[in-house]
Amino acid sequence: MAKIIDGRAVAASVRAGLKAECEQFYADNGFRPGLAVIIVGEDPASQVYVRNKEKGCNEVGFYSEVYRLPADTTEETLLALVDKLNKDDKIHGILCQLPLPKHLDETKVILAIDPSKDVDAFHPENVGKIMIGNYSFLPCTPAGVMKLIESTGVDISGKECVVIGRSNIVGKPQAMLLLQKNGTVTICHSRTKDLAEVTRRADILVVAIGKADFITGDMIKEGAVVIDVGMNRKDDGKLTGDVDFASCEPKASFITPVPGGVGPMTITMLLQNTMTSAKNHLK
Ligand code: GUN
């Protein structure tokens, strides 16, 4: 029987710390850490994420601005908004919700965000800093995963760590963060020949592939720490992860549920990055 890692509880504890830090910051400086979120178009999942980011800011006492732009917004308009926010002293973090409508170039938008306000850590300058271990911002989802692993008390050093998925947002930075904690890291992806053979070696398994209930109990090692980054909507409307919880839970030592595992951590780490950025801008 695994212990369930309660992402909501870990997130609540980090947010309580941030709220206290924010009040102290305001008392010392007379302004609040500020986050600007841009959303282009009507994608329903993105709308929910953006609302939750706004709520998160309110909860910890940050200043926030949300820009809801129509789906036919031109690149020129979007880049002009990013430029205005780059120069705005009230704003310490800028996040443009992805995916963008097809006519807009995501890379161009990411490059336009001032790296010192890039709280997603998507700008190549910040990605490079993560590679060399000298960073201001950690990418939100992998940073949340690291906090959850930390909450188990399991030491990553020397452990076999397997990451499934090689996206720029999760898989690649996740592998770097585990490496920085001295894990022996393997990245698996769609071309990996014998996935189960690799996953069965994992003391710590992080799964971010976007396939519902893909990792089953026979694919994990007895006593593994299993972190499920997946968020898949099943036909009956229920949310499920990439890990088949029912068959993995009896075998794992720790496991994250979906919902209530990694999800609540992502926005929390975004708030953490915004706090860090506000402090950096004082310097
Ligand atoms: N869309 C899905 N996840 C993310 C994220 O972490 N940041 C941004 N900007 N867009 C996203």
Side-chain angles (χ1 to χ4, degrees):
M1 282 281 279
K3 291 206 177 84
I4 311 295
I5 304 173
D6 185 348
R8 292 192 182 106
V10 178
S13 132
V14 176
R15 285 186 194 206
L18 280 172
K19 188 172 166 104
E21 217 175 328
C22 177
E23 287 318 311
Q24 189 60 50
F25 184 95
Y26 182 66
D28 292 344
N29 304 295
F31 65 93
R32 293 172 182 278
L35 176 70
V37 178
I38 306 169
I39 175 168
V40 186
E42 309 291 329
D43 179 67
S46 292
Q47 305 262 5
V48 174
Y49 291 139
V50 168
R51 260 202 308 279
N52 286 337
K53 284 165 186 170
E54 199 177 9
K55 271 202 250 170
C57 282
N58 291 338
E59 186 188 325
V60 298
F62 288 2
Y63 172 71
S64 78
E65 292 179 0
V66 178
Y67 293 85
R68 292 186 169 82
L69 307 182
D72 62 356
T73 297
T74 64
E75 186 172 283
E76 196 187 2
T77 304
L78 180 56
L79 293 178
L81 173 59
V82 170
D83 188 49
K84 177 182 90 89
L85 295 169
N86 281 340
K87 293 174 181 146
D88 186 340
D89 289 340
K90 295 192 299 303
I91 299 300
H92 310 99
I94 303 169
L95 179 145
C96 182
Q97 187 67 30
L98 304 179
L100 288 170
K102 290 221 164 28
H103 68 283
L104 295 167
D105 182 345
E106 291 185 356
T107 306
K108 234 179 183 173
V109 178
I110 289 168
L111 281 171
I113 295 173
D114 180 338
S116 76
K117 296 188 177 186
D118 169 38
V119 283
D120 261 328
F122 288 172
H123 191 287
E125 186 176 315
N126 288 321
V127 175
K129 284 182 167 179
I130 291 157
M131 282 288 286
I132 58 175
N134 169 29
Y135 41 76
S136 301
F137 305 128
L138 288 176
C140 301
T141 300
V145 168
M146 296 306 281
K147 281 262 182 222
L148 293 180
I149 297 172
E150 200 182 294
S151 79
T152 66
V154 171
D155 185 11
I156 296 167
S157 183
K159 297 280 183 348
E160 288 281 347
C161 302
V162 174
V163 178
I164 314 184
R166 55 174 158 180
S167 70
N168 288 332
I169 297 187
V170 184
K172 283 190 229 170
Q174 187 70 68
M176 274 308 127
L177 300 190
L178 289 163
L179 181 62
Q180 273 154 21
K181 293 290 178 191
N182 303 312
T184 301
V185 184
T186 306
I187 306 177
C188 297
H189 45 79
S190 54
R191 307 282 175 90
T192 297
K193 285 268 187 301
D194 188 349
L195 183 68
E197 187 270 323
V198 185
T199 56
R200 277 190 214 112
R201 291 205 305 261
D203 300 308
I204 298 172
L205 180 65
V206 181
V207 190
I209 42 175
K211 288 187 185 170
D213 305 330
F214 183 80
I215 298 295
T216 45
D218 58 311
M219 297 171 78
I220 70 166
K221 181 177 176 175
E222 192 78 44
V225 176
V226 179
I227 309 286
D228 188 351
V229 182
M231 285 245 262
N232 310 290
R233 195 65 71 176
K234 290 212 276 206
D235 291 342
D236 61 5
K238 284 206 178 116
L239 206 59
T240 188
D242 293 347
V243 173
D244 178 43
F245 189 87
S247 63
C248 289
E249 187 272 335
K251 225 170 151 185
S253 59
F254 292 92
I255 190 166
T256 57
V258 176
V262 174
M265 291 305 293
T266 300
I267 294 178
T268 304
M269 301 323 287
L270 171 73
L271 300 171
Q272 173 93 66
N273 281 345
T274 305
M275 185 76 231
T276 301
S277 180
K279 286 182 175 168
N280 288 343
H281 279 87
L282 290 174
K283 290 174 194 158

